[in-house]
Amino acid sequence: MNTPQEFGTLLAGLRRLGDSGFAQGGGALATLTQTSGSTFRRAGARMLVCGDGTVVRGLSGGCPEADIISRAREVIAEGTARIVRYDRESGLDALLELGCGGELEVLIEPLTKARDLDFIDAAADCLAARRSGVLATVYRRDGAVMNPKPRRMVIDEGRIVVNEFGAGLISGVLADLALDRLPIAPSLERFVHGGNAYEVLLEALIPPYALFIVGINAGAVALARIAAVLGWQVTLVDDRDDRAPPDMLPDNVHRVTATPQQIAERLDFDSRSFAVVMTHNLGRDIDYLRALGDAPLAYLGSLGSRQRAARLYAGSGLSAEQLRAPAGLDLGSETPEEIALAISAEILAVTSGRAAESLSQTTGPIHA
């Protein structure tokens, strides 16, 4: 799938299409199905092209978008799917726009009716509920693109919620394949059924990251804004319910009142959750850190000087493996916004297993 932020933008565009766009010519969905070499995007990235000319980009960053958009408009007019390759054998002019030597394949399919969006709605429901699943897109049969459009299956926590094949043996074969592979990264798989060879793009539906910010202040708001832009689910936690809502807070940021004694029972944490404690009160920070010490967090951090950090460690009983204090990368940050950037960058590095070095000083792959 697209990144969480892009998926949210794509979902909003698809819902606008469902509300009124079908009456204005429908749309086309472009999905990156295969890549090789160095490319800006990986399989699973998507872009929506609407019949009214609106484009919701998900393949930006050097991909041959102009050519994809042109072909998407042809797909809208014709009502049939097609596969476009950009490699040394075809699409060379558009390929030159990449500037990175990569090759890619794009599936472009028409969206003409509300049922064409069922798979997106099911995937969105799965992610919003923080469940895991698989999206399977079967788009080739015996080497030819499936028409008028590919067929899909959405599996939500082991349960099939969308099945465009209907009842039958092929559904069982596809479900077994999807559950057996449980892809972490999008993967192209092949299977044979009824004498036909099929190609399917398998994509994991993984819940977005969730950030819990404990404390209401300028730094907390700055961090919430950056995290929201990154597509993380953001919750501001305060121990008082009589405080006025902070200014400049994104609409999709939740606010919860929970004391240190209540936080474990009022909030749901999982392995894709982060927490940053920043109440600016040492004793209160220590109380929250103690309460969060056993939570299944991927990242736990707190603000302050090195002297304050030492007191946080001593007071909470947490180790350096459990707590990042002072939180954030060494970026020379001063303002609340710069500090928020340093913290969000450290969280991303920790969850990606990266050392947060300058890319110009590394020699390994940029993308995992």
Side-chain angles (χ1 to χ4, degrees):
M1 300 292 286
N2 298 68
T3 66
Q5 179 195 11
E6 290 172 330
F7 182 71
T9 303
L10 180 67
L11 181 62
L14 287 165
R15 285 178 171 164
R16 285 196 300 272
L17 179 68
D19 290 340
S20 60
F22 291 127
Q24 302 177 35
L29 186 65
T31 303
L32 193 55
T33 54
Q34 295 185 64
T35 67
S36 62
S38 177
T39 60
F40 286 97
R41 302 308 309 273
R42 292 181 287 176
R46 289 177 169 83
M47 177 172 67
L48 172 65
V49 179
C50 299
D52 63 3
T54 303
V55 176
V56 180
R57 289 180 173 85
L59 303 179
S60 58
C63 294
E65 278 196 355
D67 189 71
I68 294 173
I69 292 171
S70 175
R71 293 172 187 264
R73 287 173 176 149
E74 294 174 0
V75 166
I76 293 172
E78 297 168 3
T80 56
R82 67 172 67 175
I83 294 174
V84 183
R85 290 195 60 85
Y86 298 96
D87 55 25
R88 308 260 175 223
E89 305 299 326
S90 59
L92 184 58
D93 290 342
L95 177 66
L96 291 176
E97 295 182 27
L98 285 170
C100 55
E103 301 181 353
L104 48 86
E105 175 186 272
V106 181
L107 166 69
I108 308 174
E109 62 184 284
L111 301 175
T112 60
K113 55 186 179 299
R115 287 191 61 186
D116 293 342
L117 306 182
D118 285 352
F119 79 96
I120 284 287
D121 289 334
D125 290 344
C126 178
L127 296 176
R130 302 195 64 75
R131 297 188 297 265
S132 298
V134 182
L135 168 62
T137 302
V138 181
Y139 67 99
R140 267 201 185 103
R141 181 173 53 211
D142 297 330
V145 63
M146 293 184 66
N147 262 308
K149 62 186 296 294
R151 295 186 185 181
R152 290 183 170 87
M153 177 178 286
V154 178
I155 301 175
D156 183 341
E157 291 285 356
R159 182 173 62 93
I160 299 174
V161 293
V162 170
N163 182 7
E164 295 180 350
F165 286 92
L169 184 59
I170 189 171
S171 296
V173 172
L174 180 57
D176 288 345
L177 175 66
L179 292 172
D180 178 61
R181 301 303 166 87
L182 287 177
I184 297 176
S187 64
L188 178 64
E189 305 290 344
R190 295 173 175 84
F191 68 96
V192 176
H193 173 72
N196 300 116
Y198 295 89
E199 292 183 35
V200 53
L201 176 66
L202 296 180
E203 302 170 75
L205 299 175
I206 302 174
Y209 291 129
L211 174 62
F212 297 88
I213 306 170
V214 182
I216 305 290
N217 47 65
V221 172
L223 182 56
R225 293 173 65 188
I226 288 180
V229 169
L230 292 173
W232 300 350
Q233 293 178 346
V234 185
T235 301
L236 279 182
V237 182
D238 197 2
D239 63 347
R240 291 169 42 186
D241 58 9
D242 59 347
R243 204 186 305 264
D247 296 330
M248 305 293 290
L249 197 64
D251 292 337
N252 58 345
V253 173
H254 302 287
R255 188 179 171 200
V256 173
T257 301
T259 65
Q261 294 73 30
Q262 297 168 329
I263 194 167
E265 65 184 43
R266 293 198 175 180
L267 299 176
D268 293 322
F269 304 108
D270 56 40
S271 61
R272 294 178 64 80
S273 299
F274 322 130
V276 179
V277 177
M278 48 193 306
T279 70
H280 295 318
N281 178 289
L282 179 65
R284 194 175 301 125
D285 280 0
I286 289 173
D287 288 342
Y288 275 113
L289 290 173
R290 284 175 178 164
L292 293 168
D294 293 329
L297 297 166
Y299 177 98
L300 175 61
S302 191
L303 298 190
S305 65
R306 297 194 187 281
Q307 181 181 15
R308 188 178 193 273
R311 297 175 71 181
L312 290 173
Y313 283 116
S316 67
L318 299 178
S319 67
E321 288 71 33
Q322 296 171 293
L323 172 65
R324 298 262 177 164
L329 298 181
D330 184 6
L331 304 181
S333 304
E334 294 287 345
T335 67
E337 291 74 19
E338 291 170 349
I339 293 170
L341 175 62
I343 295 172
S344 57
E346 182 181 51
I347 293 174
L348 187 58
V350 168
T351 54
S352 301
R354 297 302 182 103
E357 301 172 88
S358 296
L359 287 174
S360 62
Q361 302 301 310
T362 62
T363 57
I366 294 176
H367 301 291

